[in-house]
Amino acid sequence: MAFSLVPSCFHGYLASSSFSSTQFFTPSLSCGLSTSSTISKLRTCVKFEKFQGDSPLEQTTSASTSPASREVPLEAADPPEEEGEEDDDCLPNDLVGAVRQSGEASASFVNSGGTRAIVELLIPQLQFLDDEGAQAELWELSRVFVETLIKETGCERVKAVFPDAGAAALLKYKWKDAAFGFASLSDRKPVEKEDEIIVMIVPDYQMLEYVEKIAKGLADDPPRPLVMWNPRLISEEVGVGFNVRKLRRYFLSSFTTVYSMRPLAAGAVFRCYPGKWKVFYDNKDRPGRYLLAKELIGRPDAEDLEIIYGNVEEKPDEEPSLLSQAAGIFSSINRFMKAM
């Protein structure tokens, strides 16, 4: 299958992705930083189950130098067909592309006057941080996000606030050429008066008190933008009781989710500000591609997804597909949430 037919490098995660966006494993984030981690490595680290061979660039290079390709005269080659707009053209090509896209969405929100934003990449590669090199990769991606935000807003006084002092100190030492400031949630004064945009990198539930304190301080006149990048403020270990409902109602509800990428067993949920929320399902005729099932103004909940996937046409003589399984899973989740 040609790589040009696969616009989203998140498809390989769908079969193994959890339906819960609150399950995180968060060991100490100050360790695990390898100096060998580079952006070039990040471009190839998003693995498809289908694609374990050469990268698209390597395939293109090898194909152009093969004997078979040299035997075909240039004038005999068929002209490339013009491709129309596809449902999934809005999806990023890879993980780094998603991070840059999320930075652009955040910048659009800030440039329009928005002050509280959330970016969420609900991808296993960024959730299971106990894997070797996962934390180093996370930090490199966070730098891509902050630098994209700086570029798109033109703001030169951006402060990146990391989960703990160890991570902040280590990254400040490593990234001496960074165009943004460093701080940690546990610092006595993580935000200075001259800071214009604050980016919290993966703030977790254990530091919620500090997160709320900083957010409250930034709301003073004039308010300054706060972007939470991949926040982990709701943990499965904490449960989904009163505290979580209170957190959602009084704090998280004041934020706008400007970017969200959530792979599912049979598709994906996606939002890129200022666009609407989009629910995709697998294109059975073109593996690796998505079809748009529905657009919504607000985030789809479990009941919405159950209805959406349940309405996708399936042949009656086929065995239950991933779509019908997904609808059943969302039905179970919905019943569980209503029973709370």
Side-chain angles (χ1 to χ4, degrees):
M1 179 175 61
F3 280 90
S4 60
L5 294 180
V6 185
S8 170
C9 285
F10 297 104
H11 183 77
Y13 286 124
L14 302 187
S16 59
S17 295
S18 169
F19 286 95
S20 171
S21 62
T22 63
Q23 181 177 359
F24 299 107
F25 296 84
T26 55
S28 174
L29 298 178
S30 61
C31 59
L33 180 63
S34 170
T35 55
S36 63
S37 296
T38 61
I39 297 301
S40 60
K41 176 183 175 182
L42 296 176
R43 292 182 184 278
T44 59
C45 66
V46 182
K47 300 292 186 183
F48 284 90
E49 293 178 358
K50 299 182 179 70
F51 305 144
Q52 297 295 339
D54 297 335
S55 68
L57 179 60
E58 292 170 345
Q59 288 197 353
T60 302
T61 303
S62 60
S64 63
T65 57
S66 64
S69 64
R70 289 196 297 268
E71 292 174 0
V72 179
L74 181 62
E75 60 273 10
D78 294 332
E81 296 182 1
E82 294 185 3
E83 296 183 0
E85 185 175 349
E86 302 278 358
D87 285 356
D88 54 5
D89 283 347
C90 60
L91 298 176
N93 290 323
D94 52 33
L95 185 52
V96 175
V99 174
R100 288 202 176 99
Q101 193 178 43
S102 69
E104 294 167 356
S106 301
S108 296
F109 179 75
V110 171
N111 291 337
S112 67
T115 56
R116 290 190 173 189
I118 287 178
V119 169
E120 54 183 27
L121 294 163
L122 305 176
I123 300 167
Q125 189 170 337
L126 298 182
Q127 295 181 21
F128 300 101
L129 300 180
D130 52 346
D131 294 342
E132 182 180 358
Q135 292 175 21
E137 179 180 4
L138 182 73
W139 303 140
E140 293 289 351
L141 290 170
S142 71
R143 181 175 184 177
V144 172
F145 173 79
V146 177
E147 290 180 343
T148 302
L149 182 66
I150 292 173
K151 177 183 176 182
E152 298 297 327
T153 60
C155 180
E156 298 180 354
R157 295 179 178 178
V158 176
K159 174 71 68 66
V161 181
F162 292 88
D164 59 69
L170 195 59
L171 294 173
K172 184 177 181 180
Y173 174 78
K174 181 185 178 184
W175 299 339
K176 294 182 175 65
D177 59 339
F180 51 89
F182 295 81
S184 72
L185 289 172
S186 58
D187 288 351
R188 186 178 64 85
K189 195 175 182 181
V191 178
E192 304 290 341
K193 290 184 178 180
E194 59 269 18
D195 297 329
E196 297 179 359
I197 300 178
I198 306 301
V199 180
M200 290 186 183
I201 308 297
V202 291
D204 60 25
Y205 186 85
Q206 295 175 342
M207 304 298 288
L208 178 58
E209 179 182 351
Y210 298 92
V211 171
E212 292 181 304
K213 182 178 179 181
I214 293 174
K216 183 178 179 180
L218 294 173
D220 294 339
D221 190 27
R224 288 176 284 176
L226 168 62
V227 181
M228 292 198 295
W229 190 76
N230 254 19
R232 302 164 186 271
L233 299 179
I234 299 177
S235 172
E236 191 176 66
E237 297 177 359
V238 178
V240 287
F242 174 76
N243 290 335
V244 171
R245 291 196 296 268
K246 181 180 177 182
L247 174 66
R248 284 174 172 162
R249 180 179 300 177
Y250 297 107
F251 184 62
L252 294 181
S253 62
S254 65
F255 286 78
T256 298
T257 301
V258 297
Y259 191 87
S260 180
M261 167 60 74
R262 181 186 178 192
L264 301 174
V269 177
F270 177 76
R271 199 269 166 124
C272 182
Y273 181 89
K276 296 180 180 179
W277 288 85
K278 299 182 178 183
V279 179
F280 292 93
Y281 65 96
D282 289 341
N283 186 339
K284 295 183 293 184
D285 297 327
R286 301 173 67 189
R289 297 300 297 256
Y290 292 129
L291 294 173
L292 180 64
K294 192 176 181 65
E295 288 186 315
L296 303 96
I297 297 177
R299 180 198 295 271
D301 58 18
E303 185 175 2
D304 294 327
L305 293 175
E306 178 189 356
I307 295 173
I308 292 170
Y309 283 116
N311 288 338
V312 174
E313 289 187 357
E314 294 184 352
K315 296 180 180 180
D317 56 339
E318 289 183 349
E319 294 184 0
S321 67
L322 283 175
L323 284 172
S324 59
Q325 294 174 26
I329 291 174
F330 285 119
S331 178
S332 300
I333 294 174
N334 189 43
R335 287 194 296 269
F336 171 73
M337 296 299 290
K338 285 183 176 180
M340 292 171 45

